[in-house]
PDB file of all heavy atoms in Angstrom:
ATOM      1  N   ASP A   1      -0.032 -11.022  -3.498  1.00 96.00           N
ATOM      2  CA  ASP A   1      -0.542  -9.655  -3.653  1.00 96.00           C
ATOM      3  C   ASP A   1       0.598  -8.666  -3.447  1.00 96.00           C
ATOM      4  O   ASP A   1       1.607  -8.982  -2.813  1.00 96.00           O
ATOM      5  CB  ASP A   1      -1.610  -9.337  -2.593  1.00 96.00           C
ATOM      6  CG  ASP A   1      -2.851 -10.182  -2.722  1.00 96.00           C
ATOM      7  OD1 ASP A   1      -3.452 -10.165  -3.800  1.00 96.00           O
ATOM      8  OD2 ASP A   1      -3.207 -10.868  -1.737  1.00 96.00           O
ATOM      9  N   GLY A   2       0.398  -7.433  -3.949  1.00 97.00           N
ATOM     10  CA  GLY A   2       1.306  -6.339  -3.670  1.00 97.00           C
ATOM     11  C   GLY A   2       0.685  -5.361  -2.688  1.00 97.00           C
ATOM     12  O   GLY A   2      -0.502  -5.444  -2.376  1.00 97.00           O
ATOM     13  N   LEU A   3       1.484  -4.411  -2.207  1.00 98.00           N
ATOM     14  CA  LEU A   3       0.928  -3.367  -1.349  1.00 98.00           C
ATOM     15  C   LEU A   3      -0.097  -2.543  -2.105  1.00 98.00           C
ATOM     16  O   LEU A   3      -1.052  -2.030  -1.520  1.00 98.00           O
ATOM     17  CB  LEU A   3       2.038  -2.450  -0.827  1.00 98.00           C
ATOM     18  CG  LEU A   3       3.021  -3.022   0.193  1.00 98.00           C
ATOM     19  CD1 LEU A   3       3.870  -1.911   0.781  1.00 98.00           C
ATOM     20  CD2 LEU A   3       2.313  -3.796   1.287  1.00 98.00           C
ATOM     21  N   MET A   4       0.094  -2.421  -3.425  1.00 97.00           N
ATOM     22  CA  MET A   4      -0.855  -1.715  -4.282  1.00 97.00           C
ATOM     23  C   MET A   4      -1.410  -2.717  -5.302  1.00 97.00           C
ATOM     24  O   MET A   4      -0.853  -3.795  -5.509  1.00 97.00           O
ATOM     25  CB  MET A   4      -0.164  -0.551  -4.997  1.00 97.00           C
ATOM     26  CG  MET A   4       0.560   0.430  -4.085  1.00 97.00           C
ATOM     27  SD  MET A   4      -0.522   1.300  -2.915  1.00 97.00           S
ATOM     28  CE  MET A   4      -1.389   2.420  -4.029  1.00 97.00           C
ATOM     29  N   ARG A   5      -2.506  -2.349  -5.949  1.00 96.00           N
ATOM     30  CA  ARG A   5      -3.119  -3.175  -6.982  1.00 96.00           C
ATOM     31  C   ARG A   5      -3.776  -2.261  -8.001  1.00 96.00           C
ATOM     32  O   ARG A   5      -3.881  -1.055  -7.796  1.00 96.00           O
ATOM     33  CB  ARG A   5      -4.162  -4.126  -6.381  1.00 96.00           C
ATOM     34  CG  ARG A   5      -5.370  -3.416  -5.778  1.00 96.00           C
ATOM     35  CD  ARG A   5      -6.414  -4.388  -5.255  1.00 96.00           C
ATOM     36  NE  ARG A   5      -7.557  -3.690  -4.699  1.00 96.00           N
ATOM     37  CZ  ARG A   5      -8.624  -3.280  -5.395  1.00 96.00           C
ATOM     38  NH1 ARG A   5      -8.673  -3.500  -6.709  1.00 96.00           N
ATOM     39  NH2 ARG A   5      -9.617  -2.640  -4.813  1.00 96.00           N
ATOM     40  N   ARG A   6      -4.211  -2.843  -9.113  1.00 93.00           N
ATOM     41  CA  ARG A   6      -4.980  -2.089 -10.105  1.00 93.00           C
ATOM     42  C   ARG A   6      -6.463  -2.330  -9.889  1.00 93.00           C
ATOM     43  O   ARG A   6      -6.884  -3.421  -9.516  1.00 93.00           O
ATOM     44  CB  ARG A   6      -4.613  -2.531 -11.520  1.00 93.00           C
ATOM     45  CG  ARG A   6      -3.251  -2.100 -11.970  1.00 93.00           C
ATOM     46  CD  ARG A   6      -2.947  -2.621 -13.360  1.00 93.00           C
ATOM     47  NE  ARG A   6      -3.727  -1.950 -14.380  1.00 93.00           N
ATOM     48  CZ  ARG A   6      -3.754  -2.331 -15.663  1.00 93.00           C
ATOM     49  NH1 ARG A   6      -3.059  -3.363 -16.051  1.00 93.00           N
ATOM     50  NH2 ARG A   6      -4.475  -1.680 -16.533  1.00 93.00           N
ATOM     51  N   ASP A   7      -7.281  -1.299 -10.147  1.00 93.00           N
ATOM     52  CA  ASP A   7      -8.728  -1.479 -10.083  1.00 93.00           C
ATOM     53  C   ASP A   7      -9.294  -1.635 -11.490  1.00 93.00           C
ATOM     54  O   ASP A   7      -8.555  -1.775 -12.464  1.00 93.00           O
ATOM     55  CB  ASP A   7      -9.398  -0.332  -9.315  1.00 93.00           C
ATOM     56  CG  ASP A   7      -9.305   1.023 -10.034  1.00 93.00           C
ATOM     57  OD1 ASP A   7      -8.914   1.070 -11.228  1.00 93.00           O
ATOM     58  OD2 ASP A   7      -9.643   2.047  -9.407  1.00 93.00           O
ATOM     59  N   GLY A   8     -10.628  -1.597 -11.605  1.00 90.00           N
ATOM     60  CA  GLY A   8     -11.279  -1.839 -12.884  1.00 90.00           C
ATOM     61  C   GLY A   8     -11.123  -0.735 -13.896  1.00 90.00           C
ATOM     62  O   GLY A   8     -11.490  -0.911 -15.064  1.00 90.00           O
ATOM     63  N   THR A   9     -10.561   0.400 -13.487  1.00 89.00           N
ATOM     64  CA  THR A   9     -10.273   1.476 -14.444  1.00 89.00           C
ATOM     65  C   THR A   9      -8.808   1.465 -14.861  1.00 89.00           C
ATOM     66  O   THR A   9      -8.394   2.266 -15.694  1.00 89.00           O
ATOM     67  CB  THR A   9     -10.603   2.847 -13.837  1.00 89.00           C
ATOM     68  OG1 THR A   9      -9.665   3.150 -12.776  1.00 89.00           O
ATOM     69  CG2 THR A   9     -12.021   2.873 -13.282  1.00 89.00           C
ATOM     70  N   GLY A  10      -8.019   0.589 -14.254  1.00 88.00           N
ATOM     71  CA  GLY A  10      -6.584   0.565 -14.508  1.00 88.00           C
ATOM     72  C   GLY A  10      -5.795   1.419 -13.547  1.00 88.00           C
ATOM     73  O   GLY A  10      -4.564   1.446 -13.610  1.00 88.00           O
ATOM     74  N   ALA A  11      -6.482   2.134 -12.632  1.00 92.00           N
ATOM     75  CA  ALA A  11      -5.790   2.978 -11.662  1.00 92.00           C
ATOM     76  C   ALA A  11      -5.121   2.116 -10.598  1.00 92.00           C
ATOM     77  O   ALA A  11      -5.579   1.019 -10.272  1.00 92.00           O
ATOM     78  CB  ALA A  11      -6.773   3.940 -11.011  1.00 92.00           C
ATOM     79  N   VAL A  12      -4.026   2.635 -10.039  1.00 95.00           N
ATOM     80  CA  VAL A  12      -3.325   1.947  -8.965  1.00 95.00           C
ATOM     81  C   VAL A  12      -3.892   2.416  -7.626  1.00 95.00           C
ATOM     82  O   VAL A  12      -3.920   3.619  -7.329  1.00 95.00           O
ATOM     83  CB  VAL A  12      -1.811   2.214  -9.048  1.00 95.00           C
ATOM     84  CG1 VAL A  12      -1.079   1.616  -7.864  1.00 95.00           C
ATOM     85  CG2 VAL A  12      -1.258   1.630 -10.348  1.00 95.00           C
ATOM     86  N   VAL A  13      -4.368   1.471  -6.826  1.00 97.00           N
ATOM     87  CA  VAL A  13      -5.035   1.767  -5.558  1.00 97.00           C
ATOM     88  C   VAL A  13      -4.444   0.868  -4.471  1.00 97.00           C
ATOM     89  O   VAL A  13      -3.759  -0.111  -4.774  1.00 97.00           O
ATOM     90  CB  VAL A  13      -6.562   1.534  -5.672  1.00 97.00           C
ATOM     91  CG1 VAL A  13      -7.166   2.456  -6.735  1.00 97.00           C
ATOM     92  CG2 VAL A  13      -6.874   0.075  -6.007  1.00 97.00           C
ATOM     93  N   PRO A  14      -4.689   1.168  -3.189  1.00 98.00           N
ATOM     94  CA  PRO A  14      -4.151   0.330  -2.124  1.00 98.00           C
ATOM     95  C   PRO A  14      -4.590  -1.126  -2.231  1.00 98.00           C
ATOM     96  O   PRO A  14      -5.741  -1.423  -2.562  1.00 98.00           O
ATOM     97  CB  PRO A  14      -4.695   0.985  -0.857  1.00 98.00           C
ATOM     98  CG  PRO A  14      -4.833   2.427  -1.222  1.00 98.00           C
ATOM     99  CD  PRO A  14      -5.308   2.393  -2.655  1.00 98.00           C
ATOM    100  N   GLY A  15      -3.656  -2.040  -1.958  1.00 98.00           N
ATOM    101  CA  GLY A  15      -3.916  -3.472  -1.960  1.00 98.00           C
ATOM    102  C   GLY A  15      -3.731  -4.014  -0.560  1.00 98.00           C
ATOM    103  O   GLY A  15      -4.581  -3.847   0.300  1.00 98.00           O
ATOM    104  N   LEU A  16      -2.583  -4.670  -0.300  1.00 98.00           N
ATOM    105  CA  LEU A  16      -2.292  -5.107   1.061  1.00 98.00           C
ATOM    106  C   LEU A  16      -2.117  -3.926   1.999  1.00 98.00           C
ATOM    107  O   LEU A  16      -2.289  -4.054   3.212  1.00 98.00           O
ATOM    108  CB  LEU A  16      -1.036  -5.974   1.085  1.00 98.00           C
ATOM    109  CG  LEU A  16      -1.130  -7.333   0.373  1.00 98.00           C
ATOM    110  CD1 LEU A  16       0.209  -8.053   0.437  1.00 98.00           C
ATOM    111  CD2 LEU A  16      -2.239  -8.179   0.964  1.00 98.00           C
ATOM    112  N   ALA A  17      -1.767  -2.787   1.455  1.00 98.00           N
ATOM    113  CA  ALA A  17      -1.729  -1.556   2.247  1.00 98.00           C
ATOM    114  C   ALA A  17      -3.145  -0.996   2.335  1.00 98.00           C
ATOM    115  O   ALA A  17      -3.831  -0.869   1.323  1.00 98.00           O
ATOM    116  CB  ALA A  17      -0.796  -0.543   1.606  1.00 98.00           C
ATOM    117  N   ALA A  18      -3.569  -0.652   3.552  1.00 98.00           N
ATOM    118  CA  ALA A  18      -4.867   0.001   3.716  1.00 98.00           C
ATOM    119  C   ALA A  18      -4.774   1.463   3.315  1.00 98.00           C
ATOM    120  O   ALA A  18      -5.725   2.042   2.774  1.00 98.00           O
ATOM    121  CB  ALA A  18      -5.341  -0.119   5.162  1.00 98.00           C
ATOM    122  N   SER A  19      -3.591   2.061   3.530  1.00 98.00           N
ATOM    123  CA  SER A  19      -3.389   3.473   3.203  1.00 98.00           C
ATOM    124  C   SER A  19      -1.889   3.748   3.187  1.00 98.00           C
ATOM    125  O   SER A  19      -1.071   2.905   3.575  1.00 98.00           O
ATOM    126  CB  SER A  19      -4.078   4.374   4.226  1.00 98.00           C
ATOM    127  OG  SER A  19      -3.529   4.172   5.521  1.00 98.00           O
ATOM    128  N   TYR A  20      -1.536   4.946   2.745  1.00 98.00           N
ATOM    129  CA  TYR A  20      -0.132   5.345   2.730  1.00 98.00           C
ATOM    130  C   TYR A  20      -0.044   6.857   2.801  1.00 98.00           C
ATOM    131  O   TYR A  20      -1.019   7.575   2.512  1.00 98.00           O
ATOM    132  CB  TYR A  20       0.580   4.840   1.465  1.00 98.00           C
ATOM    133  CG  TYR A  20       0.048   5.457   0.189  1.00 98.00           C
ATOM    134  CD1 TYR A  20       0.593   6.645  -0.319  1.00 98.00           C
ATOM    135  CD2 TYR A  20      -1.007   4.881  -0.493  1.00 98.00           C
ATOM    136  CE1 TYR A  20       0.099   7.231  -1.478  1.00 98.00           C
ATOM    137  CE2 TYR A  20      -1.513   5.458  -1.645  1.00 98.00           C
ATOM    138  CZ  TYR A  20      -0.960   6.625  -2.131  1.00 98.00           C
ATOM    139  OH  TYR A  20      -1.471   7.200  -3.273  1.00 98.00           O
ATOM    140  N   GLU A  21       1.115   7.358   3.223  1.00 98.00           N
ATOM    141  CA  GLU A  21       1.414   8.794   3.163  1.00 98.00           C
ATOM    142  C   GLU A  21       2.744   8.979   2.442  1.00 98.00           C
ATOM    143  O   GLU A  21       3.586   8.070   2.436  1.00 98.00           O
ATOM    144  CB  GLU A  21       1.532   9.405   4.565  1.00 98.00           C
ATOM    145  CG  GLU A  21       0.273   9.368   5.393  1.00 98.00           C
ATOM    146  CD  GLU A  21       0.305   8.231   6.415  1.00 98.00           C
ATOM    147  OE1 GLU A  21       1.390   7.942   6.970  1.00 98.00           O
ATOM    148  OE2 GLU A  21      -0.753   7.617   6.626  1.00 98.00           O
ATOM    149  N   TYR A  22       2.914  10.165   1.854  1.00 98.00           N
ATOM    150  CA  TYR A  22       4.168  10.469   1.166  1.00 98.00           C
ATOM    151  C   TYR A  22       4.665  11.830   1.610  1.00 98.00           C
ATOM    152  O   TYR A  22       3.912  12.811   1.631  1.00 98.00           O
ATOM    153  CB  TYR A  22       3.966  10.468  -0.346  1.00 98.00           C
ATOM    154  CG  TYR A  22       5.206  10.881  -1.124  1.00 98.00           C
ATOM    155  CD1 TYR A  22       6.357  10.098  -1.079  1.00 98.00           C
ATOM    156  CD2 TYR A  22       5.228  12.048  -1.879  1.00 98.00           C
ATOM    157  CE1 TYR A  22       7.499  10.457  -1.771  1.00 98.00           C
ATOM    158  CE2 TYR A  22       6.370  12.411  -2.589  1.00 98.00           C
ATOM    159  CZ  TYR A  22       7.502  11.619  -2.530  1.00 98.00           C
ATOM    160  OH  TYR A  22       8.631  11.983  -3.214  1.00 98.00           O
ATOM    161  N   ASP A  23       5.931  11.911   1.977  1.00 98.00           N
ATOM    162  CA  ASP A  23       6.584  13.167   2.347  1.00 98.00           C
ATOM    163  C   ASP A  23       7.499  13.584   1.198  1.00 98.00           C
ATOM    164  O   ASP A  23       8.553  12.983   0.996  1.00 98.00           O
ATOM    165  CB  ASP A  23       7.396  12.978   3.625  1.00 98.00           C
ATOM    166  CG  ASP A  23       8.139  14.246   4.038  1.00 98.00           C
ATOM    167  OD1 ASP A  23       7.974  15.292   3.363  1.00 98.00           O
ATOM    168  OD2 ASP A  23       8.909  14.193   5.010  1.00 98.00           O
ATOM    169  N   PRO A  24       7.105  14.612   0.435  1.00 96.00           N
ATOM    170  CA  PRO A  24       7.914  15.010  -0.729  1.00 96.00           C
ATOM    171  C   PRO A  24       9.254  15.641  -0.358  1.00 96.00           C
ATOM    172  O   PRO A  24      10.138  15.749  -1.213  1.00 96.00           O
ATOM    173  CB  PRO A  24       7.006  16.010  -1.452  1.00 96.00           C
ATOM    174  CG  PRO A  24       6.107  16.557  -0.386  1.00 96.00           C
ATOM    175  CD  PRO A  24       5.887  15.432   0.570  1.00 96.00           C
ATOM    176  N   GLU A  25       9.401  16.077   0.885  1.00 96.00           N
ATOM    177  CA  GLU A  25      10.664  16.685   1.294  1.00 96.00           C
ATOM    178  C   GLU A  25      11.760  15.633   1.472  1.00 96.00           C
ATOM    179  O   GLU A  25      12.931  15.886   1.183  1.00 96.00           O
ATOM    180  CB  GLU A  25      10.469  17.454   2.613  1.00 96.00           C
ATOM    181  CG  GLU A  25       9.484  18.607   2.511  1.00 96.00           C
ATOM    182  CD  GLU A  25       9.946  19.670   1.532  1.00 96.00           C
ATOM    183  OE1 GLU A  25      11.168  19.970   1.496  1.00 96.00           O
ATOM    184  OE2 GLU A  25       9.093  20.209   0.798  1.00 96.00           O
ATOM    185  N   THR A  26      11.364  14.455   1.953  1.00 97.00           N
ATOM    186  CA  THR A  26      12.357  13.402   2.216  1.00 97.00           C
ATOM    187  C   THR A  26      12.180  12.194   1.300  1.00 97.00           C
ATOM    188  O   THR A  26      12.880  11.193   1.463  1.00 97.00           O
ATOM    189  CB  THR A  26      12.263  12.934   3.676  1.00 97.00           C
ATOM    190  OG1 THR A  26      10.946  12.400   3.907  1.00 97.00           O
ATOM    191  CG2 THR A  26      12.514  14.082   4.628  1.00 97.00           C
ATOM    192  N   TYR A  27      11.253  12.289   0.337  1.00 98.00           N
ATOM    193  CA  TYR A  27      10.971  11.204  -0.612  1.00 98.00           C
ATOM    194  C   TYR A  27      10.632   9.912   0.151  1.00 98.00           C
ATOM    195  O   TYR A  27      11.114   8.821  -0.195  1.00 98.00           O
ATOM    196  CB  TYR A  27      12.143  10.939  -1.559  1.00 98.00           C
ATOM    197  CG  TYR A  27      12.881  12.173  -2.013  1.00 98.00           C
ATOM    198  CD1 TYR A  27      14.271  12.252  -1.918  1.00 98.00           C
ATOM    199  CD2 TYR A  27      12.195  13.262  -2.534  1.00 98.00           C
ATOM    200  CE1 TYR A  27      14.955  13.373  -2.338  1.00 98.00           C
ATOM    201  CE2 TYR A  27      12.876  14.407  -2.951  1.00 98.00           C
ATOM    202  CZ  TYR A  27      14.251  14.460  -2.841  1.00 98.00           C
ATOM    203  OH  TYR A  27      14.927  15.574  -3.246  1.00 98.00           O
ATOM    204  N   THR A  28       9.772  10.027   1.153  1.00 98.00           N
ATOM    205  CA  THR A  28       9.488   8.914   2.046  1.00 98.00           C
ATOM    206  C   THR A  28       8.019   8.508   1.982  1.00 98.00           C
ATOM    207  O   THR A  28       7.126   9.357   2.087  1.00 98.00           O
ATOM    208  CB  THR A  28       9.845   9.273   3.499  1.00 98.00           C
ATOM    209  OG1 THR A  28      11.241   9.561   3.569  1.00 98.00           O
ATOM    210  CG2 THR A  28       9.511   8.126   4.447  1.00 98.00           C
ATOM    211  N   TYR A  29       7.797   7.210   1.815  1.00 98.00           N
ATOM    212  CA  TYR A  29       6.458   6.631   1.863  1.00 98.00           C
ATOM    213  C   TYR A  29       6.304   5.873   3.187  1.00 98.00           C
ATOM    214  O   TYR A  29       7.228   5.170   3.623  1.00 98.00           O
ATOM    215  CB  TYR A  29       6.236   5.642   0.719  1.00 98.00           C
ATOM    216  CG  TYR A  29       6.098   6.280  -0.638  1.00 98.00           C
ATOM    217  CD1 TYR A  29       7.226   6.548  -1.411  1.00 98.00           C
ATOM    218  CD2 TYR A  29       4.845   6.594  -1.160  1.00 98.00           C
ATOM    219  CE1 TYR A  29       7.104   7.130  -2.668  1.00 98.00           C
ATOM    220  CE2 TYR A  29       4.715   7.166  -2.416  1.00 98.00           C
ATOM    221  CZ  TYR A  29       5.847   7.433  -3.162  1.00 98.00           C
ATOM    222  OH  TYR A  29       5.718   7.999  -4.399  1.00 98.00           O
ATOM    223  N   VAL A  30       5.128   5.988   3.780  1.00 98.00           N
ATOM    224  CA  VAL A  30       4.771   5.164   4.929  1.00 98.00           C
ATOM    225  C   VAL A  30       3.512   4.394   4.559  1.00 98.00           C
ATOM    226  O   VAL A  30       2.477   4.999   4.237  1.00 98.00           O
ATOM    227  CB  VAL A  30       4.536   6.007   6.195  1.00 98.00           C
ATOM    228  CG1 VAL A  30       4.058   5.113   7.348  1.00 98.00           C
ATOM    229  CG2 VAL A  30       5.811   6.745   6.595  1.00 98.00           C
ATOM    230  N   PHE A  31       3.605   3.062   4.568  1.00 98.00           N
ATOM    231  CA  PHE A  31       2.480   2.204   4.221  1.00 98.00           C
ATOM    232  C   PHE A  31       1.932   1.558   5.491  1.00 98.00           C
ATOM    233  O   PHE A  31       2.689   1.036   6.318  1.00 98.00           O
ATOM    234  CB  PHE A  31       2.923   1.109   3.247  1.00 98.00           C
ATOM    235  CG  PHE A  31       3.292   1.605   1.886  1.00 98.00           C
ATOM    236  CD1 PHE A  31       4.619   1.901   1.586  1.00 98.00           C
ATOM    237  CD2 PHE A  31       2.323   1.778   0.898  1.00 98.00           C
ATOM    238  CE1 PHE A  31       4.976   2.365   0.324  1.00 98.00           C
ATOM    239  CE2 PHE A  31       2.677   2.247  -0.364  1.00 98.00           C
ATOM    240  CZ  PHE A  31       4.006   2.533  -0.652  1.00 98.00           C
ATOM    241  N   HIS A  32       0.600   1.599   5.625  1.00 98.00           N
ATOM    242  CA  HIS A  32      -0.089   0.981   6.744  1.00 98.00           C
ATOM    243  C   HIS A  32      -0.781  -0.283   6.232  1.00 98.00           C
ATOM    244  O   HIS A  32      -1.674  -0.211   5.378  1.00 98.00           O
ATOM    245  CB  HIS A  32      -1.117   1.944   7.343  1.00 98.00           C
ATOM    246  CG  HIS A  32      -0.516   3.253   7.780  1.00 98.00           C
ATOM    247  ND1 HIS A  32       0.103   3.413   9.000  1.00 98.00           N
ATOM    248  CD2 HIS A  32      -0.417   4.449   7.133  1.00 98.00           C
ATOM    249  CE1 HIS A  32       0.558   4.661   9.103  1.00 98.00           C
ATOM    250  NE2 HIS A  32       0.258   5.312   7.982  1.00 98.00           N
ATOM    251  N   LEU A  33      -0.364  -1.436   6.749  1.00 98.00           N
ATOM    252  CA  LEU A  33      -0.915  -2.707   6.284  1.00 98.00           C
ATOM    253  C   LEU A  33      -2.334  -2.908   6.805  1.00 98.00           C
ATOM    254  O   LEU A  33      -2.702  -2.426   7.877  1.00 98.00           O
ATOM    255  CB  LEU A  33      -0.031  -3.863   6.738  1.00 98.00           C
ATOM    256  CG  LEU A  33       1.452  -3.792   6.333  1.00 98.00           C
ATOM    257  CD1 LEU A  33       2.161  -5.067   6.753  1.00 98.00           C
ATOM    258  CD2 LEU A  33       1.595  -3.563   4.838  1.00 98.00           C
ATOM    259  N   ARG A  34      -3.114  -3.636   6.037  1.00 98.00           N
ATOM    260  CA  ARG A  34      -4.492  -3.928   6.425  1.00 98.00           C
ATOM    261  C   ARG A  34      -4.535  -4.836   7.657  1.00 98.00           C
ATOM    262  O   ARG A  34      -3.694  -5.710   7.825  1.00 98.00           O
ATOM    263  CB  ARG A  34      -5.234  -4.622   5.274  1.00 98.00           C
ATOM    264  CG  ARG A  34      -5.463  -3.736   4.077  1.00 98.00           C
ATOM    265  CD  ARG A  34      -6.280  -4.436   3.020  1.00 98.00           C
ATOM    266  NE  ARG A  34      -6.381  -3.588   1.847  1.00 98.00           N
ATOM    267  CZ  ARG A  34      -7.302  -2.629   1.683  1.00 98.00           C
ATOM    268  NH1 ARG A  34      -8.212  -2.438   2.623  1.00 98.00           N
ATOM    269  NH2 ARG A  34      -7.311  -1.891   0.589  1.00 98.00           N
ATOM    270  N   ASP A  35      -5.555  -4.634   8.466  1.00 96.00           N
ATOM    271  CA  ASP A  35      -5.797  -5.535   9.591  1.00 96.00           C
ATOM    272  C   ASP A  35      -6.253  -6.896   9.080  1.00 96.00           C
ATOM    273  O   ASP A  35      -7.003  -6.987   8.100  1.00 96.00           O
ATOM    274  CB  ASP A  35      -6.900  -4.972  10.508  1.00 96.00           C
ATOM    275  CG  ASP A  35      -6.439  -3.753  11.286  1.00 96.00           C
ATOM    276  OD1 ASP A  35      -5.231  -3.646  11.559  1.00 96.00           O
ATOM    277  OD2 ASP A  35      -7.294  -2.908  11.616  1.00 96.00           O
ATOM    278  N   GLY A  36      -5.822  -7.940   9.730  1.00 95.00           N
ATOM    279  CA  GLY A  36      -6.400  -9.262   9.506  1.00 95.00           C
ATOM    280  C   GLY A  36      -5.918 -10.007   8.285  1.00 95.00           C
ATOM    281  O   GLY A  36      -6.421 -11.098   8.005  1.00 95.00           O
ATOM    282  N   VAL A  37      -4.951  -9.478   7.529  1.00 98.00           N
ATOM    283  CA  VAL A  37      -4.440 -10.203   6.362  1.00 98.00           C
ATOM    284  C   VAL A  37      -3.501 -11.302   6.849  1.00 98.00           C
ATOM    285  O   VAL A  37      -2.576 -11.057   7.637  1.00 98.00           O
ATOM    286  CB  VAL A  37      -3.702  -9.278   5.392  1.00 98.00           C
ATOM    287  CG1 VAL A  37      -3.124 -10.086   4.223  1.00 98.00           C
ATOM    288  CG2 VAL A  37      -4.639  -8.198   4.867  1.00 98.00           C
ATOM    289  N   VAL A  38      -3.735 -12.520   6.380  1.00 98.00           N
ATOM    290  CA  VAL A  38      -2.891 -13.648   6.781  1.00 98.00           C
ATOM    291  C   VAL A  38      -2.367 -14.368   5.549  1.00 98.00           C
ATOM    292  O   VAL A  38      -2.975 -14.344   4.480  1.00 98.00           O
ATOM    293  CB  VAL A  38      -3.665 -14.647   7.673  1.00 98.00           C
ATOM    294  CG1 VAL A  38      -4.078 -13.986   8.975  1.00 98.00           C
ATOM    295  CG2 VAL A  38      -4.872 -15.234   6.950  1.00 98.00           C
ATOM    296  N   TRP A  39      -1.209 -15.016   5.718  1.00 98.00           N
ATOM    297  CA  TRP A  39      -0.654 -15.861   4.684  1.00 98.00           C
ATOM    298  C   TRP A  39      -1.470 -17.137   4.578  1.00 98.00           C
ATOM    299  O   TRP A  39      -2.269 -17.451   5.472  1.00 98.00           O
ATOM    300  CB  TRP A  39       0.816 -16.186   4.992  1.00 98.00           C
ATOM    301  CG  TRP A  39       1.687 -14.969   4.954  1.00 98.00           C
ATOM    302  CD1 TRP A  39       2.068 -14.201   6.009  1.00 98.00           C
ATOM    303  CD2 TRP A  39       2.256 -14.361   3.788  1.00 98.00           C
ATOM    304  NE1 TRP A  39       2.844 -13.149   5.583  1.00 98.00           N
ATOM    305  CE2 TRP A  39       2.973 -13.221   4.222  1.00 98.00           C
ATOM    306  CE3 TRP A  39       2.230 -14.668   2.429  1.00 98.00           C
ATOM    307  CZ2 TRP A  39       3.663 -12.397   3.345  1.00 98.00           C
ATOM    308  CZ3 TRP A  39       2.920 -13.846   1.551  1.00 98.00           C
ATOM    309  CH2 TRP A  39       3.625 -12.730   2.000  1.00 98.00           C
ATOM    310  N   HIS A  40      -1.287 -17.854   3.510  1.00 98.00           N
ATOM    311  CA  HIS A  40      -2.056 -19.089   3.310  1.00 98.00           C
ATOM    312  C   HIS A  40      -1.815 -20.116   4.413  1.00 98.00           C
ATOM    313  O   HIS A  40      -2.631 -21.019   4.606  1.00 98.00           O
ATOM    314  CB  HIS A  40      -1.717 -19.707   1.940  1.00 98.00           C
ATOM    315  CG  HIS A  40      -2.141 -18.854   0.788  1.00 98.00           C
ATOM    316  ND1 HIS A  40      -1.521 -18.915  -0.441  1.00 98.00           N
ATOM    317  CD2 HIS A  40      -3.108 -17.910   0.673  1.00 98.00           C
ATOM    318  CE1 HIS A  40      -2.089 -18.049  -1.266  1.00 98.00           C
ATOM    319  NE2 HIS A  40      -3.055 -17.427  -0.624  1.00 98.00           N
ATOM    320  N   ASP A  41      -0.704 -19.981   5.138  1.00 97.00           N
ATOM    321  CA  ASP A  41      -0.441 -20.898   6.260  1.00 97.00           C
ATOM    322  C   ASP A  41      -0.995 -20.371   7.585  1.00 97.00           C
ATOM    323  O   ASP A  41      -0.762 -20.955   8.642  1.00 97.00           O
ATOM    324  CB  ASP A  41       1.048 -21.200   6.391  1.00 97.00           C
ATOM    325  CG  ASP A  41       1.889 -19.960   6.717  1.00 97.00           C
ATOM    326  OD1 ASP A  41       1.312 -18.859   6.884  1.00 97.00           O
ATOM    327  OD2 ASP A  41       3.126 -20.094   6.808  1.00 97.00           O
ATOM    328  N   GLY A  42      -1.721 -19.248   7.529  1.00 97.00           N
ATOM    329  CA  GLY A  42      -2.370 -18.704   8.720  1.00 97.00           C
ATOM    330  C   GLY A  42      -1.562 -17.678   9.479  1.00 97.00           C
ATOM    331  O   GLY A  42      -2.096 -17.020  10.391  1.00 97.00           O
TER     332      GLY A  42
END
């Protein structure tokens, strides 16, 4: 998976990221990962 994904309309929405913020002054993204996501090895 990616931090973002496409939905059924083709729009890009949060994936592994639960949410994000963007600061246009510093061109900075902060991504908050979802709780409880684990790799296939646990």
Side-chain angles (χ1 to χ4, degrees):
D1 296 303
L3 290 191
M4 306 297 288
R5 65 177 181 87
R6 289 178 71 188
D7 67 11
T9 69
V12 175
V13 299
L16 294 178
S19 62
Y20 65 90
E21 296 101 37
Y22 176 64
D23 178 3
E25 298 298 321
T26 61
Y27 322 129
T28 299
Y29 288 87
V30 176
F31 292 94
H32 303 277
L33 304 185
R34 292 184 185 275
D35 289 332
V37 177
V38 296
W39 295 96
H40 295 154
D41 63 2

